[in-house]
Amino acid sequence: MSVEPAAGTGSWARWREYAADPTADLPRILGAALTAFAEHGYHGTSIRDIAAAAGLSVPGVYHHHRSKQEILRALMEVAMDELLGRCEAALASAGTDPAARFDALVESFVRFHMSRRPQAFVGSSEIRSLEPANRAAYVARRDAAQRLVEDAVRDGVAAGVLAAEHPDEVARAISSLCVGVASWYRPDGPLTPDQVVERHLVLARRMAGAPG
């Protein structure tokens, strides 16, 4: 069985840059599935729906993916791998300064959830639809992303540039703040992406106890 090439297999060095279309970097079947799952839900979408949206026959879809569950797994895996890849690239670009690394990580989380709103919605709403092994793999990736935030806060506290009394709780609150952007941000809204980033950096720094 052949498998569609994974999206984002290259470097995320340009971690701030996103295509306007959130499906643009996805293989055709995953892009069609993302749109369908976001609009109708996993259980409200059939393989026939995905095939029609992708311009393929049902056997054509099965040539690449064994089942609808495999499509959901692949879609959520690609999204989390992209988030992790962009966050790691952001940290690398910030060097070793703990304050710069904290800012870069928060910015990366915010930009991802502004630009990948359908992926964020499907990831949060359809985790319940993953079979146990697939769910465990997804949760492991999600936990890895959360650990990046926890490490950034702890490192900032250790370096004296942050003063959070409870670093892990603060890290969870910051993650929730950033993830929440996906639920309200709109490209035609009153704030530009850079303004959203700057406002969330101010909030995240205050939450983590950065000096004013």
Side-chain angles (χ1 to χ4, degrees):
M1 180 186 70
S2 72
V3 178
E4 286 190 300
T9 53
S11 168
W12 293 114
R14 296 180 177 179
W15 56 271
R16 290 185 173 94
E17 297 180 13
Y18 287 86
D21 179 358
T23 69
D25 297 327
L26 291 173
R28 181 167 43 159
I29 293 172
L30 295 189
L34 175 63
T35 301
F37 292 159
E39 184 173 353
H40 303 294
Y42 175 76
H43 293 293
T45 300
S46 68
I47 286 288
R48 190 172 298 279
D49 295 331
I50 295 170
L56 296 170
S57 65
V58 169
V61 172
Y62 282 127
H63 178 70
H64 294 288
H65 299 277
R66 290 170 293 185
S67 65
K68 188 173 69 166
Q69 177 68 200
E70 276 298 295
I71 293 173
L72 179 63
R73 180 204 59 76
L75 182 61
M76 294 176 71
E77 179 180 286
V78 166
M80 285 305 305
D81 285 352
E82 179 180 359
L83 174 60
L84 286 166
R86 287 182 183 271
C87 286
E88 288 164 358
L91 288 169
S93 73
T96 59
D97 177 66
R101 289 172 66 82
F102 175 84
D103 282 1
L105 190 61
V106 170
E107 179 179 353
S108 184
F109 262 78
V110 172
R111 289 194 186 277
F112 180 89
H113 287 90
M114 276 194 292
S115 303
R116 295 290 187 255
R117 286 170 294 134
Q119 285 91 331
F121 174 74
V122 171
S124 63
S125 64
E126 298 300 348
I127 187 172
R128 62 190 176 186
S129 300
L130 289 169
E131 294 173 356
N134 292 336
R135 187 182 304 118
Y138 177 78
V139 169
R141 284 180 169 85
R142 187 185 65 186
D143 290 350
Q146 178 59 30
R147 282 195 297 274
L148 293 178
V149 184
E150 292 169 0
D151 289 345
V153 175
R154 288 195 202 105
D155 290 347
V157 171
V161 297
L162 300 176
E165 293 185 15
H166 306 287
D168 289 353
E169 287 86 346
V170 167
R172 286 194 289 273
I174 290 171
S175 295
S176 296
L177 174 73
C178 297
V179 170
V181 172
S183 68
W184 60 262
Y185 174 76
R186 296 295 179 269
D188 59 353
L191 298 178
T192 68
D194 288 345
Q195 287 173 324
V196 173
V197 167
E198 187 53 42
R199 292 186 184 193
H200 280 71
L201 281 172
V202 170
L203 292 170
R205 289 168 186 154
R206 288 175 179 171
M207 292 165 70

